Amino acid sequence: MNGREEEPVFEVAIVVPKKREKEGDENRDCVEFLVQELKTAGLIVERVCGISDEFIKLAAPPETLGRAATELQIKKLTYIGMELQFEWDQVTAFVTQPDGSLFSWFERFRCFHHLIYRIVNRTEADLTLKFDDEKKRKQLLKNWALNWLDFTSQPVDEIYLYYGTKIATYFSFLGMYTRWLFFPAALGLALQLIDFGSMQLLVLPAFFIFIISWAVFFFQFWKRKNSALLARWGINYSLSEYKALDTEMNSLNRVHADHEKNFDANKPIEKKILQRDEWLGLLLRIRNNTVVALAIICLQLPFELAYAHLYEITESYTLKFLLTAVYLLAIQYYTQIGGKMSVILINYENNQGEESSSASLVYKVFGLYFMQSYIGLFYHALLHRNLTTLREVLIQRLIVSQVLENLMENAYPYLKYSYKKYKAVHKKMHEQGSSGGKRIRLTTRVEKEYLKPSYTACIGKELEDGLFDDYLELALQFGMIMMFASAFPLVFCFAILNNITEIRTDALKLLVMLRRPVPRASATIGAWLNIFQFLIVTAICTNCILLVCLYDQEGKWRIEPGLAAILIMEHVLLLIKFGFSNFVPEEPAWVKANRVRNVVQVRDMYSKQLLRSISNLEKKRD
């Protein structure tokens, strides 16, 4: 493998609660038995004694991981471009990771889980797993989280190797999105500084056309980058193919389990069962989406309009900022309730697979936040035509909201960690029967990592990890800067400042404040891509209305040449949106060429094997 042996590192630990004195001997025997079993399984073991728990740190040589991968029948990419079931004896046929290692973090985690719980299930033990790799974590902290001078530059391959595909894809998307924001930010700053006078009504439509074209091209080039990353990481499938296969297998497995073992989709009765499940799932999703929509209209809309009206009639800027802060805190509780109701509804849907359930959660929760984030802005812009207030609210949302979210994202995990650390130290002091004397400290890194909170979503923890909140924050920001670009071009500058800060604070949050997340295998940004595409179409409509308001200051709504031109521009922009989406290939030429070459190699290989099989059969007959 790349001419060198992989050096095993401790990246997984088992947490074993300490017992009381009278149970000490029995507990030591159990722990020693477990350690011996782990060593017998081929793992490298190191025991660490913490304040309230004992930790068994584990590392695995490549051969141990390879044997486990063979037992799990993990599929890996080979050098001919096919994904085949892994065999340790044929290890040289499989593609390695960017750093030369054989397995990704997601694959290693599966192997560790298999090796450990094969022992645990046999011994009927109850264990808690945690994982960390201190050396790689320190490197990322230095080269990524604390590297403020590079602005948007990030070691994406190192992030992938440490956190897995899903988190690496998020940070790659965030970095590219922030870099692309420099173009509209520079143009928006120029529009803010230069007085175009009577030409302003011509400049703004041109700026708007540029923004829509920029957004369309950005997402097309993101798809190209995403495809290149997957090829570089040795992931040989697109998300659409993966989801289609996953959905099909889940559906067939369910029918197979519920009805008969010799399931055949060509039989009429099985066809009816599949069709029934398909339409039942669709009707359940329509029902649940209707419930969410009615809740938004009947409960959330009046609250949002009341806030917008109070903001409109308030004259003091201090009171306006205070009102916004209180509103943002209050709305969090409402969205938490709405999110929990969405999860309950999803549990009654006939979703096929975790990806389908996660996508359903994304659409429902984004509907709640869409109303929360934008209805007040629509109120100021369209009903009162108060563009000055609209600009004030945009600035406050981007500043106040960003500050509050960063405080919550970083302060809450720190406070939770501090409380758990205090609780563990206080319990140890109580057991020793002394409140003074020698101070007790956490001395082991493994125990500090164990006490950190996990990386979970604020809504739908059962279905999503903490990236749900980060993607939601990005989507809401994107909608805000796109839908009101004509009224306040400078908004893109605020977005750039927010995102540069977001890259580093999110990195610090993951590396310092939170426990290393369980790896997930998502290959793209998933359902969020549909959300961003929806926001582009919505932005075309809202900006055309804003331009009408700017053009027709008196509100007479006369169909004059200028207004007619804006309506024509709306249709042209919709054509640009859907036309340019097919203009830029979603896959780089080198990725496509490699894929075609691999297909040809596989076809030739199977053709030769088939010919040899036919020749052998003919020889046997003779």
Side-chain angles (χ1 to χ4, degrees):
M1 291 179 294
N2 257 17
R4 66 175 180 85
E5 279 291 320
E6 298 178 42
E7 181 183 352
V9 294
F10 292 105
E11 54 184 352
V12 173
I14 298 174
V15 184
V16 183
K18 286 185 177 179
K19 302 295 183 181
R20 296 176 181 175
E21 290 291 331
K22 60 183 180 181
E23 300 173 348
D25 294 336
E26 180 183 351
N27 184 53
R28 277 195 296 273
D29 292 340
C30 292
V31 175
E32 288 172 2
F33 174 76
L34 177 61
V35 168
Q36 189 59 44
E37 288 290 315
L38 292 169
K39 289 180 178 178
T40 304
L43 295 169
I44 301 171
V45 181
E46 179 182 326
R47 293 175 65 174
V48 177
C49 188
I51 291 177
S52 59
D53 301 287
E54 186 171 356
F55 301 90
I56 304 174
K57 295 169 63 176
L58 302 175
E63 183 175 355
T64 302
L65 292 175
R67 301 294 181 189
T70 302
E71 293 176 7
L72 288 169
Q73 299 181 349
I74 290 176
K75 288 188 176 182
K76 283 185 63 65
L77 187 67
T78 61
Y79 284 102
I80 63 169
M82 282 189 67
E83 282 190 343
L84 299 177
Q85 185 175 311
F86 182 80
E87 293 287 344
W88 172 249
D89 296 333
Q90 307 296 329
V91 64
T92 55
F94 295 92
V95 174
T96 57
Q97 299 300 305
D99 65 343
S101 59
L102 179 60
F103 296 105
S104 67
W105 166 231
F106 177 72
E107 292 164 341
R108 295 198 307 276
F109 176 79
R110 287 186 62 191
C111 293
F112 272 115
H113 192 275
H114 171 70
L115 291 167
I116 294 168
Y117 279 95
R118 183 175 59 183
I119 297 170
V120 171
N121 291 337
R122 181 155 50 88
T123 58
E124 298 182 355
D126 184 19
L127 303 176
T128 302
L129 295 185
K130 71 147 309 272
F131 19 90
D132 190 36
D133 183 349
E134 182 60 15
K135 184 178 178 181
K136 289 184 179 179
R137 192 188 73 87
K138 286 184 176 179
Q139 289 176 348
L140 282 173
L141 192 62
K142 178 183 177 181
N143 300 329
W144 178 34
L146 300 178
N147 190 14
W148 287 84
L149 296 178
D150 284 345
F151 293 106
T152 63
S153 177
Q154 299 175 91
V156 177
D157 286 342
E158 285 75 11
I159 298 171
Y160 160 72
L161 292 169
Y162 188 72
Y163 285 115
T165 311
K166 189 174 183 179
I167 290 179
T169 301
Y170 163 74
F171 280 102
S172 178
F173 176 79
L174 176 58
M176 182 175 174
Y177 170 52
T178 306
R179 285 192 296 274
W180 275 62
L181 275 174
F182 279 97
F183 299 105
L187 192 55
L189 184 61
L191 289 176
Q192 192 72 22
L193 297 177
I194 301 173
D195 184 10
F196 290 93
S198 59
M199 296 292 292
Q200 187 75 9
L201 290 177
L202 295 177
V203 173
L204 285 177
F207 174 72
F208 172 45
I209 293 173
F210 167 79
I211 291 301
I212 296 299
S213 303
W214 165 84
V216 173
F217 276 115
F218 163 69
F219 282 103
Q220 287 303 111
F221 277 96
W222 159 249
K223 292 176 186 177
R224 288 174 60 86
K225 182 178 179 65
N226 194 189
S227 176
L229 286 173
L230 295 181
R232 196 164 76 207
W233 296 337
I235 300 173
N236 192 33
Y237 55 80
S238 67
L239 184 64
S240 59
E241 293 170 342
Y242 178 79
K243 287 175 67 177
L245 179 63
D246 182 60
T247 299
E248 181 182 358
M249 291 303 297
N250 280 331
S251 178
L252 291 176
N253 288 337
R254 187 178 63 255
V255 175
H256 174 85
D258 293 343
H259 296 278
E260 53 181 296
K261 294 183 178 180
N262 56 345
F263 172 76
D264 186 359
N266 292 320
K267 293 181 180 180
I269 187 169
E270 273 79 10
K271 287 182 179 179
K272 289 182 180 179
I273 292 171
L274 288 175
Q275 290 176 351
R276 182 199 65 189
D277 290 347
E278 177 186 10
W279 286 104
L280 178 61
L282 179 62
L283 292 174
L284 286 173
R285 284 191 292 273
I286 292 174
R287 182 203 65 182
N288 292 345
N289 291 337
T290 303
V291 170
V292 173
L294 289 175
I296 291 172
I297 294 172
C298 298
L299 300 177
Q300 191 174 7
L301 181 60
F303 177 77
E304 299 290 344
L305 291 176
Y307 160 72
H309 179 70
L310 286 174
Y311 190 93
E312 183 72 29
I313 63 175
T314 302
E315 296 181 357
S316 171
Y317 286 104
T318 304
L319 289 177
K320 285 183 177 182
F321 269 90
L322 182 61
L323 181 65
T324 301
V326 172
Y327 161 78
L328 290 174
L329 289 173
I331 201 66
Q332 294 299 320
Y333 292 99
Y334 178 86
T335 49
Q336 286 286 336
I337 295 172
K340 290 178 181 178
M341 292 300 299
S342 298
V343 172
I344 293 173
L345 291 172
I346 289 170
N347 291 333
Y348 288 98
E349 292 179 357
N350 196 17
N351 289 311
Q352 298 170 341
E354 186 178 335
E355 287 287 340
S356 179
S357 297
S358 298
S360 181
L361 179 68
V362 167
Y363 297 136
K364 288 178 175 62
V365 174
F366 182 77
L368 296 172
Y369 276 90
F370 183 90
M371 181 67 69
Q372 167 200 327
S373 300
Y374 305 130
I375 192 63
L377 299 173
F378 292 145
Y379 179 86
H380 299 301
L382 306 180
L383 187 61
H384 287 276
R385 297 195 174 200
N386 191 339
L387 299 184
T388 302
T389 303
L390 174 63
R391 296 184 184 106
E392 292 176 1
V393 175
L394 283 171
I395 294 173
Q396 290 177 15
R397 289 288 178 89
L398 288 171
I399 295 176
V400 176
S401 177
Q402 185 73 21
V403 170
L404 285 176
E405 286 172 359
N406 281 332
L407 284 174
M408 291 293 293
E409 286 178 4
N410 293 281
Y412 176 73
Y414 176 76
L415 292 174
K416 191 172 182 179
Y417 165 71
S418 299
Y419 172 73
K420 292 175 73 174
K421 184 172 70 171
Y422 167 78
K423 190 175 179 181
V425 171
H426 183 74
K427 181 180 178 182
K428 184 67 174 180
M429 292 175 63
H430 179 72
E431 290 175 356
Q432 292 180 350
S434 61
S435 57
K438 188 176 180 181
R439 189 176 179 183
I440 299 174
R441 293 177 178 270
L442 294 179
T443 57
T444 60
R445 184 74 209 176
V446 65
E447 186 168 22
K448 292 178 181 178
E449 289 295 316
Y450 171 63
L451 293 176
K452 290 179 181 178
S454 57
Y455 185 49
T456 56
C458 66
I459 295 174
K461 297 178 183 179
E462 307 88 345
L463 302 174
E464 277 285 354
D465 57 14
L467 283 181
F468 180 88
D469 300 337
D470 295 324
Y471 275 122
L472 178 62
E473 184 180 344
L474 270 186
L476 293 174
Q477 183 205 79
F478 181 79
M480 208 169 291
I481 64 177
M482 289 295 296
M483 288 194 288
F484 305 99
S486 298
F488 191 34
L490 194 63
V491 72
F492 290 92
C493 295
F494 289 99
I496 276 192
L497 295 175
N498 283 345
N499 287 0
I500 291 174
T501 306
E502 188 75 16
I503 290 173
R504 306 305 164 187
T505 55
D506 282 353
L508 282 170
K509 176 181 67 177
L510 280 170
L511 289 167
V512 178
M513 301 293 180
L514 300 172
R515 205 182 300 172
R516 188 179 181 185
V518 174
R520 293 175 179 250
S522 296
T524 73
I525 65 175
W528 293 106
L529 183 60
N530 296 330
I531 296 294
F532 284 111
Q533 299 287 4
F534 162 76
L535 289 172
I536 294 175
V537 176
T538 307
I540 292 174
C541 301
T542 56
N543 278 277
C544 285
I545 296 174
L546 285 172
L547 290 173
V548 169
C549 294
L550 290 169
Y551 184 84
D552 186 20
Q553 294 287 345
E554 298 178 0
K556 295 181 180 180
W557 299 96
R558 294 192 301 268
I559 304 300
E560 295 181 353
L563 295 178
I566 291 172
L567 294 175
I568 294 172
M569 182 179 67
E570 177 185 19
H571 290 75
V572 171
L573 286 171
L574 289 171
L575 289 174
I576 289 175
K577 160 69 180 74
F578 296 105
F580 282 10
S581 296
N582 299 317
F583 183 74
V584 178
E586 296 184 4
E587 194 176 47
W590 66 271
V591 174
K592 186 175 182 180
N594 286 341
R595 182 166 52 81
V596 172
R597 185 184 68 249
N598 292 334
V599 169
V600 172
Q601 288 178 347
V602 171
R603 184 193 63 191
D604 293 343
M605 182 183 67
Y606 275 108
S607 297
K608 292 176 182 178
Q609 289 182 352
L610 183 60
L611 286 173
R612 282 197 296 268
S613 300
I614 294 173
S615 299
N616 292 333
L617 286 174
E618 290 298 324
K619 289 178 180 178
K620 289 180 180 179
R621 289 177 182 177
D622 295 339

